[in-house]
Amino acid sequence: MTESPGATPCPGAFARAWAKAVSGTSYLPMTQAQLECLLDRLTGQLAGALVTEPFDLRAGHRVGAELVAAHIASAEGLGRTVEVIQLRLVRDLGLVAEDVEDRMARLLAAVATGYARALRDRTLDEQESIRRAAMRARTQAERALRASEARFRHQATHDPLTGLPNRTLFTERLAAALNEPGRGAQRVGVCFLDLDRFKVVNDTLGHQIGDLLLATVAERLRKAMGEHLVARLGGDEFVILVEHTAGTDDMVAVAETALAAVRTPALVDGHELQISASIGIVERQVAGANPTDLMRAADSTLHWAKSAGGARWSLYDAERNQRELARYALSAAIPAALERGEFYLDYQPLTSLRDGSLVGVEALVRWRHPELGVLRPDSFIGLAEETGLIVQLGGWVLAEACREAEAWSAGGVAAPFVSVNLAVRQVHRPGLVQEVRALLRQTGLPPERLQLEITESTMMSTAEEPVRALRVLADLGVRIAIDDFGTGYSNLAYLRDLPVTELKVAGEFVAGLRSPSVGRTDERILASLVSLAHALDLTVTAEGVETAGQAERLRAIGCDAAQGWHFGRPAPADRILARIR
């Protein structure tokens, strides 16, 4: 094949026509000028193939492959390429030959074949890339999953704030130490540590400083304890496991070391903080021990150290623990005992020292326990006050005393007042006035026949509301007495502004009057109290009078009334009624 001698090739025009034909058939990552330049080069390859001897189809294969490589890879793009080459290539370039049509057909077939092969190879390459990407993604996902599981496990067993083992890991280690074969005769110990007044740090400096302090304490304990496991149970609670001990002395030494590590001043974010800790120590033989009992005992012992003032350790005492458990069981039984009617009242006479008449009685609660027998107030009143049950119990005592005392006035006999002790929680209740008013209305007891005994420390409180409530009750006619006067503030001047009608002098002063040869100091103190109380228009009742000599000396110094075994032991309501009649 030879080129027509009079023809003037114009590849630039054909390339522009080709570029216009394929534009828009697929996304091309090149400018129009770059496309025209590419197609102009491919045009030269096609023209060369048509005129070169011998005829070679490989140029067509290369052109098809380059079209795919240039992203002219759609069916429409191939169709327009075949169309423009077939219609314009020979004409635009002025190519003539005897077999040009045959060569053109074969060349277009070669372009299509190269195009198809390249498209197939690209598809396979893309599939392989996708497969490899999927494998990489799966590998990365599996690696991330393993890392996540591992982190879930540095989180399931360790505290994120301090890095110390947490409760879960500590429990596992403790159980392993107790269950290890052949260790039955050996001993194990636990120190349960709690920071003293840590809440103050959080409240004043913020939780961020508190967290930094916890991290500091944790690091100190970790370093100080050496081989022993230190764990954070939560909050400001830490625990130390000593898997092999030779006795309590070993545990005490560990506790002392821990306390010393904590109490060293710590510089936290510019704040110099001084803090202390309390520790409960439990040490026992491995045989027969279990993690739950060990930790319960350590927790109880920690509370003993706290209640003793903190900044110290306390050693577990089985007998004390039994007493504590018995106290807890007793306090927990109070609500049900009230419902079953196990409580009842006895009344102790308050006798006039002038004429020996019965002026009043003090209500004293008793508990007829189904297993322990009759219990006196000192067995359970303190428990009721600690748990808050004193409000419910004290409310029952007040109601029952008002109900029984109202019956004593039957038959026109002058009846004594009934005196009822009010606990601190009762005095501070907002509804005290309404409660007393309702009881007086329901029982019909005249207000002047009810006396409420308040502890001296309660009356000296700076809170205004309790004092205001007592003033309202006093205005109703209810008597207000200070119980155990002389054991607290003993501020007679302060009493001048309070709604008090009577002072009950503590039995400690009266006890000194047993013998005429002793107790002169107590007698002078009592005489001064009586004189000052009378100057404030207060009556005085002496508690704990057990002998006639005490009664006579009290009468001589002007004391108004007295109570104690000399004048009668506490007795049920029916015996009080018999005495009145």
Side-chain angles (χ1 to χ4, degrees), residues 251-253 255-256 259 277-281 301 305 310-315:
M251 294 305 300
V252 169
E256 292 282 7
L259 291 177
S278 300
I279 295 180
I281 302 174
T301 311
R312 69 193 67 205
W313 53 263
S314 185
L315 191 62

Side-chain angles (χ1 to χ4, degrees), residues 83-318:
E83 183 180 6
V84 75
I85 292 173
Q86 185 177 21
L87 295 177
R88 299 190 56 166
L89 180 64
V90 173
R91 186 192 66 191
D92 288 358
L93 298 183
L95 302 175
V96 293
E98 294 179 358
D99 55 351
V100 68
E101 293 183 0
D102 178 62
R103 287 194 174 196
M104 176 62 72
R106 294 173 64 189
L107 183 61
L108 289 175
V111 170
T113 299
Y115 184 95
R117 288 174 179 171
L119 192 62
R120 179 200 61 193
D121 292 344
R122 192 180 78 164
T123 301
L124 292 175
D125 289 343
E126 289 176 346
Q127 291 176 344
E128 179 65 15
S129 297
I130 292 172
R131 186 186 69 82
R132 291 179 178 177
M135 290 182 62
R136 286 196 300 270
R138 184 172 62 186
T139 301
Q140 291 172 355
E142 290 174 349
R143 187 180 298 117
L145 178 61
R146 289 193 295 270
S148 176
E149 289 174 345
R151 286 193 300 270
F152 177 78
R153 285 192 295 270
H154 286 332
Q155 293 175 0
T157 60
H158 284 75
D159 173 52
L161 175 63
T162 64
L164 291 178
N166 62 9
R167 182 186 297 271
T168 300
L169 181 55
F170 170 78
T171 303
E172 291 175 357
R173 285 283 299 272
L174 178 58
L178 296 177
N179 296 326
E180 184 179 343
R183 286 207 60 205
Q186 298 181 23
R187 305 186 71 82
V188 68
V190 168
C191 286
F192 196 170
L193 181 149
D194 183 85
L195 301 183
D196 297 328
R197 295 171 293 280
F198 176 73
K199 185 176 183 296
V200 176
V201 176
N202 279 340
D203 291 345
T204 57
L205 300 178
H207 288 270
Q208 182 178 3
I209 300 299
D211 287 348
L212 292 175
L213 178 59
L214 288 174
T216 299
V217 169
E219 181 62 17
R220 287 180 176 182
L221 289 174
R222 186 186 64 79
K223 290 182 178 179
M225 291 300 101
E227 62 179 346
H228 304 311
L229 176 70
V230 181
R232 182 189 179 209
L233 300 188
D236 58 341
E237 294 181 339
F238 299 85
V239 65
I240 303 165
L241 173 62
V242 181
E243 297 188 24
H244 301 275
T245 76
T248 57
D249 288 346
D250 285 354
M251 294 305 300
V252 169
V254 170
E256 292 282 7
T257 302
L259 291 177
V262 171
R263 66 172 167 257
T264 303
L267 186 62
V268 179
D269 196 28
H271 302 276
E272 185 172 345
L273 304 178
Q274 181 77 51
I275 198 166
S276 62
S278 300
I279 295 180
I281 302 174
V282 177
E283 193 273 346
R284 60 181 55 171
Q285 193 174 39
V286 170
N290 67 75
T292 302
D293 289 345
L294 247 167
M295 290 306 298
R296 185 185 297 117
D299 186 41
S300 298
T301 311
L302 171 63
H303 285 292
W304 298 347
K306 286 280 190 182
S307 62
R312 69 193 67 205
W313 53 263
S314 185
L315 191 62
Y316 179 74
D317 182 340

Side-chain angles (χ1 to χ4, degrees), residues 315-329:
L315 191 62
Y316 179 74
D317 182 340
E319 293 183 0
R320 179 177 178 180
N321 187 60
Q322 285 299 320
R323 292 195 299 270
E324 295 282 345
L325 291 176
R327 281 171 53 82
Y328 174 78

Side-chain angles (χ1 to χ4, degrees), residues 333-343 367 389 392-394 396-397:
I334 290 177
L338 279 169
E339 292 181 5
R340 292 192 296 263
E342 294 177 4
F343 291 97
W367 185 355
L389 293 170
Q392 184 180 3
L393 179 58
W396 178 87
V397 171

